[in-house]
Amino acid sequence: MDDSKIILASASPRRREILSAHALDFETVPSGADELAEAGSPRELSLENAVLKASSVARGIPNRIVLGADTVVALDGVVYGKPRDAADAFSILSKLSGRTHSVFTGVALARFDGAGLKVLKDAEESKVTFKALDADAINSYLNLVDVSDKAGAYAAQECGSAIIERIDGDFENVMGLPFALVKKLLDRFVSGL
């Protein structure tokens, strides 16, 4: 491994795509950390899971900066993660139909120096308004996009215009990694080393 590269603690193709698009030099080491299902607010949940992912990889690869991220969709205080199956995906999209929900992505940077773990974290929130969707529109979307690994059972970057009316905030956050926040945290993290 190249010690100058950061490590992305995720197997997400969307996160890899975003980092590559911004020409950030990185390697991928997916985290095997067990994610929390609840932890206070949706924002706190995304942060705690991001820290779990980053720190679990950092402990195994000392002296490297590890980036962990976790995205959750929340509506009326209920968190919608990845759907369990097709019926769950349909149910989630039905609940989001015609409503505005929040997308939180927690971002954590971690570095283990052999003695201790340094962690820096923050979260980004974007608001997404869905079109009013009937059963046919939902089924049509689910036939077009594999949502099995997507928080909230949708992907804004994949046929998103079929279901999304408006996004207020960072589009990359809705995709799963707000690069502007990552860059800000990296600058702070590196300057503090």
Side-chain angles (χ1 to χ4, degrees):
M1 288 190 172
D2 179 348
D3 288 353
S4 65
K5 294 180 180 180
I6 71 160
I7 296 173
L8 173 63
S10 172
S12 165
R14 290 161 302 285
R15 291 186 179 125
R16 290 193 311 262
E17 178 185 314
I18 290 168
L19 293 179
S20 295
H22 290 281
L24 187 67
D25 206 10
F26 70 98
E27 296 174 58
T28 302
V29 178
S31 168
D34 291 328
E35 295 182 31
L36 302 173
E38 53 186 65
S41 71
R43 181 181 193 280
E44 291 166 348
L45 178 63
S46 70
L47 282 168
E48 290 302 315
N49 280 328
V51 169
L52 280 172
K53 293 174 185 181
S55 59
S56 72
V57 172
R59 283 189 177 91
I61 308 172
N63 301 311
R64 296 286 301 279
I65 297 173
V66 179
L67 168 62
D70 188 66
T71 302
V72 299
V73 168
L75 176 66
D76 298 333
V78 177
V79 172
Y80 296 96
K82 298 169 186 169
R84 293 181 304 278
D85 53 31
D88 191 36
F90 185 93
S91 174
I92 291 169
L93 293 178
S94 296
K95 290 172 183 161
L96 299 178
S97 172
R99 310 269 317 271
T100 299
H101 62 271
S102 293
V103 177
F104 293 93
T105 300
V107 174
L109 296 175
R111 182 172 183 250
F112 183 67
D113 66 6
L117 186 69
K118 176 183 177 180
V119 176
L120 193 57
K121 64 183 181 178
D122 202 352
E124 183 77 27
E125 178 183 10
S126 299
K127 299 281 190 177
V128 179
T129 302
F130 266 28
K131 297 176 179 178
L133 306 170
D134 60 19
D136 288 341
I138 293 172
N139 283 323
S140 175
Y141 181 76
L142 292 175
N143 286 329
L144 289 171
V145 179
D146 176 10
V147 299
S148 59
D149 67 339
K150 294 166 178 68
Y154 74 95
Q157 71 280 9
E158 293 180 53
C159 306
S161 61
I163 59 171
I164 296 171
E165 182 177 302
R166 185 177 76 249
I167 295 175
D168 296 308
D170 186 334
F171 181 79
E172 288 179 328
N173 179 51
V174 180
M175 285 179 62
L177 191 66
F179 186 77
L181 178 59
V182 170
K183 178 76 171 94
K184 182 176 93 173
L185 290 177
L186 269 173
D187 290 346
R188 284 178 47 205
F189 199 84
V190 171
S191 68
L193 291 179

